[in-house]
Amino acid sequence: MDTTILAEVSGSISTVGYGLSAIGPGIGIGILVGKTVEGMARQPEVAGQLRTTMFLGIAFVELLAFLGVAAHFIFQA
């Protein structure tokens, strides 16, 4: 029986994990900023409070991306 290898995955699986961990925060920040702008358009008088809450939310979402980068370097073979 002749075995043929069609594709080979080389490298570390942590690279794939890092790529996937960058997608989530990107989508999260997009939704977060979009909804904040929508809220500011609906009620301009609370724009300052919404902006502050948005920046806190962005900080927490970006923490997920930084954890993905750290995991990439920790689990890199």
Side-chain angles (χ1 to χ4, degrees):
M1 178 176 219
D2 187 25
T3 307
T4 305
I5 297 176
L6 298 176
E8 180 180 343
V9 177
S10 62
S12 176
I13 193 69
S14 64
T15 306
V16 175
Y18 170 65
L20 292 175
S21 70
I23 292 172
I27 294 170
I29 288 177
I31 292 171
L32 180 68
V33 172
K35 293 295 182 176
T36 302
V37 170
E38 182 181 331
M40 287 179 188
R42 290 176 184 264
Q43 290 184 319
E45 63 272 5
V46 293
Q49 188 177 7
L50 287 174
R51 189 177 305 116
T52 303
T53 306
M54 178 189 71
F55 286 135
L56 283 171
I58 287 175
F60 288 129
V61 171
E62 279 296 320
L63 175 67
L64 295 175
F66 291 140
L67 287 175
V69 171
H72 170 71
F73 288 116
I74 289 172
F75 297 118
Q76 188 176 18

